[in-house]
Amino acid sequence: QSALTQPASVSGSPGQSITISCTGTSSDVGGHNYVSWYQHHPGKAPKVMIYDVSNRPSGVSNRFSGSKSGNTASLTISGLQAEDEADYYCSSYTINTHVVFGGGTKLTVL
Amino acid sequence: QVQLVESGGALVKPGGSLRLSCAASGFTFSDSFMSWIRQAPGKGLDYFSIISSTGDYTNYADSVEGRFTISRDNTKNSLYLQMNSLRAEDTAVYYCATVRYGQFDYWGQGTLVTVSS
């Protein structure tokens, strides 16, 4: 199963908004609404920021939002803050192998 | 609160074996599908195994099929990973996580496995 496609890196200045895309196929991202986004700071446990395409877990800032169009899911972070600098991964359910991850996107806050 | 604590990571020689454990608390472990995910140095997250809530269903990625075995003991709220025939490319931080339709709700802090002679 090929990984979902994410940009290797994105950057933005404090206060700006950025969007990270996650492109799959009709067998994964496009086939249902089980897409999640994770924030991963080095040395720490990954943290789910968005689940089921657009839902935020309790405690996650409303600056984080998720959406999907066709085979592409997106994570938008508004009002960028220094602590948002991290690696971000998407994952999707896929019937054959259960899970497929994106390759990860390094977010740099300038 | 939900806690997942991995243990058992170590330095092991190629061809060797290792058993990882994941102790769960703060949620109904016996109702949860569980998974192991790893991250090799400088690489992304790599899902490779899942086990059903009762343990009667398991699945593996091709990269570990036949070498790794996932199991659980619901009486001990524990998840396990038996790793045999270890290779250098298995060097990674190993995470356990709850999984629901391809989405990982809770993660442990990870345990480091290094395969080197």
Side-chain angles (χ1 to χ4, degrees), chain B residues 10-109:
Chain B
L11 170 64
V12 60
K13 289 182 168 50
S17 297
L18 205 59
R19 189 193 197 208
L20 305 183
S21 299
C22 170
S25 61
F27 65 104
T28 307
F29 181 75
S30 58
D31 286 347
S32 301
F33 276 54
M34 298 295 296
S35 190
W36 287 98
I37 303 114
R38 63 186 179 181
Q39 185 177 34
K43 302 291 187 181
L45 298 174
D46 175 33
Y47 154 80
F48 64 89
S49 188
I50 190 171
I51 187 168
S52 64
S53 56
T54 59
D56 59 354
Y57 172 79
T58 59
N59 188 264
Y60 304 90
D62 290 344
S63 57
V64 305
E65 177 83 61
R67 300 188 299 122
F68 290 10
T69 302
I70 189 172
S71 63
R72 65 191 297 159
D73 185 339
N74 286 346
T75 66
K76 296 182 178 179
N77 284 352
S78 292
L79 176 72
Y80 305 103
L81 183 69
Q82 178 65 44
M83 303 187 292
N84 298 329
S85 303
L86 282 161
R87 307 167 179 166
E89 54 264 37
D90 296 318
T91 294
V93 175
Y94 284 71
Y95 298 98
C96 63
T98 62
V99 58
R100 175 187 60 85
Y101 290 111
Q103 303 174 102
F104 304 97
D105 297 319
Y106 301 104
W107 298 67
Q109 291 281 354

Side-chain angles (χ1 to χ4, degrees), chain A residues 48-89:
Chain A
V48 60
M49 307 304 283
I50 297 288
Y51 68 95
D52 293 351
V53 174
S54 60
N55 291 315
R56 261 190 325 274
S58 173
V60 172
S61 170
N62 59 9
R63 297 185 298 106
F64 291 82
S65 62
S67 63
K68 189 184 83 166
S69 177
N71 295 336
T72 298
S74 298
L75 172 71
T76 297
I77 309 173
S78 59
L80 268 180
Q81 299 179 2
E83 59 261 35
D84 298 334
E85 186 163 293
D87 295 323
Y88 290 85
Y89 295 87

Side-chain angles (χ1 to χ4, degrees), chain A residues 7-8 11 16 20 27 29 38 43 49 70 73 75 77 85-86 90 106:
Chain A
S11 63
Q16 287 186 331
I20 301 172
S27 295
V29 174
Y38 309 91
M49 307 304 283
L75 172 71
I77 309 173
E85 186 163 293
C90 60
K106 183 176 182 59

